[in-house]
Amino acid sequence: MQASIVHAGVLREAGDNAAHAPMTLDALFSTHAGFVWRTLRHFGVAPVDLEDQTQEVFLVAHRRLAQWDGQQARPWLYGIARRCAAAYRRRGHRVHEHAFETLPESAGDHDASGPAELAFMKRVLQTLDEDKRAVFLLYEIEEMSMREVAEVVRCPLQTAYTRLQAARRDIARALAEDT
Amino acid sequence: MSFDNLTDPPRFADGESEATRALLRVTRDDAPSALVMERMAKRLAAAGALSSPGAAVHRPRSEARVLGTKLGAVLAVAGSLLVGWHASELVSSGDGGRAVALEAAEVVTPATTTASIAIATPTGAPAALEHAEPVAVATVPIGDLPSASSAAPRPRPIRIAAEDTRAGANVEAPSELELLQRARVALRSDPRRALELATEQARAYPSGEFVQEREVIAVEALARLGRPDEARERARAVVAQFPRTPYVDRLELAVGRPL
C-alpha cells in the first residue's frame, strides 16, 4: 500500500495537473504538507504553532475527505488552511497567554522562524495587502497556473492578473528600497 | 479584453536579480523539517487520519532525498508495528482468544511515575474484563500526569516474561501507538473499553508521545458513556495543558460546548 501512496504523491508533486486519481489523506499529507505549512505561515500563524496548525488542517481534511470531489487538492487544502488560520487568530489570546516553558512536548524541535532571508521576505510580503499577497505567493512561490490561482482566491482571472502585476510592482519597489 | 486565452506570464524571478531569486527560493523551500514531518505523521496516524506514520516518506522538492534516508528506519518500524497491530485485531475479533498476544504481557512502569496516579489496575484477564458487568472506569486527570514536555526520557515498557508463555519466552508489551489505535477502534462500539485502554496507555506511557490523542479518546468515551461533567473537566484540562492542541474542535464537539 505504501508504494501506491508514494506513487500518488509523485504524480501530484508538480501540482494538480496529473490525472485525477483518488488521493488518500496519506498522499495529500506527503505531497502538500509543505504547501499547507507555507500557507499557514503567510496567514499569520506563528512559527511555534505551525506544526500544530498544519496537523489541524489535515485533521479537518480527514473529516471532510468524503465531501471532497477529488479535484484540485491545493485549492481545497488552501481553503481549509485559511479557515484554520482564521480560527487560530481568533483564539490567539488563549494560545499566547502561556509561557514558553509550558509549550507542548518537544517544542524545541519546532521549526524556528527560519533564516534571515525568510524573515526579510516575510516583512516585504507584509507590505502587500492580503489579496495581492495571496496571488503573488500562489503564482510565484507555489507555482500554480493563473487559472488555478484565480480559482483558489475566488476572483475572476482578469482580477488575478491585475493583482499579480500590482504585487510585483510593490515587491520590486520594496526590494529596491531595501538594497 | 478577454484573459481566457492568455498564457501565464513569466515568473517574477526570471527577470530579477540573483538576490531576488534567492529570496523567492528561500520562501519556496520553507517547509517542515524531516523531524517535524515525521512527528506530524505519527500524530496524524495516532489520530486515525493517516493509515501509516510512514506517509511522510514522500516529500516535495529537494527535501525528499534527505527525508527518505531518515525515515527508512521509521518505515521499517511502522510497517512491523502495523502488521503486528492488524494481526492482534484479527485475533481479538475471534471468540476465544481475545487480544491474547498483546494483553498477555504485564506492563511495568517505574514506581516514580505510577505512584501519583490513582488508577484501577486491571486485575483479571483482559477477556474477562471485556465481558464483565459494567463498572465505573477510573480516569486519570490530565493534570495529574507528568507533563509531556518534561525533559525526562520517556519510559519504555519493560519486556517481561508472560506467565502463560513458554519458559524463557519474552512478550513485547503493546506500544503506545498500538494501545491508542485499539482504543480508537474500541471507541466506535465500546466506549467503556476505549476508556480502559486510554487508562492503560496513561499508566504505561505517562509521558508518551500521544498524550493529546489519548485524552481526546478519553473525553469522547466519557461523553458517550453519559459522563458529561467528567468529559468536560478532562477536555478543559487538555486545552489548559496543550493550549495549541489541534483537537479543540473535536473536544468541543464531544462535550457539546466551547472550551
Side-chain angles (χ1 to χ4, degrees):
Chain A
M1 185 181 71
Q2 193 60 50
S4 65
I5 291 172
V6 174
H7 181 62
V10 171
L11 279 178
R12 296 301 186 95
E13 183 173 3
D16 290 318
N17 297 325
H20 291 300
M23 285 189 86
T24 63
L25 196 79
D26 299 49
L28 283 171
F29 175 73
S30 65
T31 308
H32 297 302
F35 168 69
V36 168
W37 180 276
R38 289 186 292 277
T39 299
L40 289 169
R41 187 192 291 276
H42 298 311
F43 274 122
V45 173
V48 73
D49 293 328
L50 282 171
E51 180 175 343
D52 282 341
Q53 290 304 306
T54 299
Q55 189 181 333
E56 180 160 359
V57 167
F58 284 100
L59 286 170
V60 172
H62 172 61
R63 287 200 299 271
R64 297 182 183 168
L65 199 57
Q67 286 86 52
W68 179 42
D69 62 6
Q71 317 284 312
Q72 308 285 342
R74 286 192 293 179
W76 183 59
L77 289 170
Y78 184 88
I80 296 174
R82 186 177 53 193
R83 286 189 290 275
C84 284
Y88 161 87
R89 291 196 298 267
R90 280 197 302 273
R91 61 175 184 261
H93 66 284
R94 185 173 68 200
V95 171
H96 296 294
E97 68 188 8
H98 293 264
F100 181 78
E101 288 73 17
T102 64
L103 292 179
E105 62 267 41
S106 306
D109 295 333
H110 282 266
D111 282 12
S113 56
E117 291 89 347
L118 195 59
F120 170 71
M121 195 63 192
K122 183 179 178 181
R123 284 200 304 276
V124 170
L125 289 167
Q126 292 299 331
T127 64
L128 303 176
D129 67 51
E130 187 167 328
D131 290 340
K132 285 189 284 189
R133 184 166 64 240
V135 170
F136 182 86
L137 288 167
L138 292 172
Y139 186 73
E140 306 292 356
I141 304 299
E142 302 302 336
E143 299 182 337
M144 291 183 177
S145 69
M146 282 305 291
R147 192 172 300 280
E148 197 178 11
V149 171
E151 184 178 336
V152 169
V153 300
R154 299 182 178 182
C155 74
L157 186 58
Q158 179 177 350
T159 304
Y161 274 103
T162 304
R163 289 178 185 174
L164 178 66
Q165 294 307 323
R168 285 177 164 185
R169 202 167 45 242
D170 292 349
I171 292 278
R173 187 182 304 123
L175 291 174
E177 287 174 358
D178 189 81
T179 55
Chain B
M1 174 180 174
S2 172
F3 284 72
D4 290 347
N5 297 322
L6 285 180
T7 56
D8 288 342
R11 303 288 170 180
F12 183 62
D14 293 345
E16 294 297 319
S17 65
E18 175 54 36
T20 301
R21 283 198 293 273
L23 281 173
L24 292 173
R25 197 162 48 240
V26 167
T27 308
R28 192 175 296 135
D29 287 343
D30 175 31
S33 68
L35 181 64
V36 171
M37 279 294 286
E38 178 186 331
R39 195 162 54 218
M40 286 193 295
K42 286 167 73 176
R43 294 172 71 89
L44 286 167
L50 296 188
S51 63
S52 160
V57 67
H58 172 70
R59 291 293 307 280
R61 298 179 176 143
S62 58
E63 294 175 68
R65 281 196 303 272
V66 176
L67 184 64
T69 304
K70 288 185 177 179
L71 288 186
V74 174
L75 272 178
V77 172
S80 60
L81 184 153
L82 287 173
V83 168
W85 176 69
H86 183 61
S88 75
E89 287 297 310
L90 288 177
V91 169
S92 38
S93 66
D95 291 330
R98 298 177 65 84
V100 174
L102 290 178
E103 298 194 358
E106 180 83 16
V107 176
V108 180
T109 51
T112 52
T113 57
T114 55
S116 60
I117 304 171
I119 300 174
T121 306
T123 53
L129 265 180
E130 295 209 354
H131 296 292
E133 287 297 312
V135 292
V137 178
T139 61
V140 186
I142 193 170
D144 292 348
L145 297 177
S147 169
S149 61
S150 167
R154 185 163 54 96
R156 300 175 61 83
I158 299 171
R159 185 188 299 190
I160 63 169
E163 292 180 2
D164 57 349
T165 58
R166 290 171 302 178
N170 287 342
V171 177
E172 186 75 42
S175 72
E176 184 186 12
L177 186 55
E178 285 170 337
L179 286 171
L180 190 71
Q181 288 174 320
R182 294 176 64 190
R184 185 162 47 78
V185 170
L187 186 63
R188 297 171 192 159
S189 57
D190 190 351
R192 184 175 305 280
R193 177 64 182 147
L195 191 56
E196 289 171 355
L197 286 164
T199 303
E200 184 180 344
Q201 186 195 341
R203 177 166 50 86
Y205 301 94
S207 299
E209 288 184 82
F210 305 121
V211 173
Q212 294 181 60
E213 287 77 9
R214 178 190 72 222
E215 290 302 306
V216 170
I217 289 175
V219 168
E220 290 178 335
L222 286 167
R224 291 184 194 189
L225 287 169
R227 295 157 66 176
D229 292 343
E230 291 175 71
R232 207 156 37 244
E233 185 181 348
R234 198 153 174 168
R236 287 198 188 110
V238 175
V239 173
Q241 182 161 352
F242 303 103
R244 290 169 174 79
T245 180
Y247 298 108
V248 172
D249 291 347
R250 200 166 148 187
L251 290 168
E252 290 179 340
L253 194 65
V255 302
R257 64 176 63 175
L259 292 170

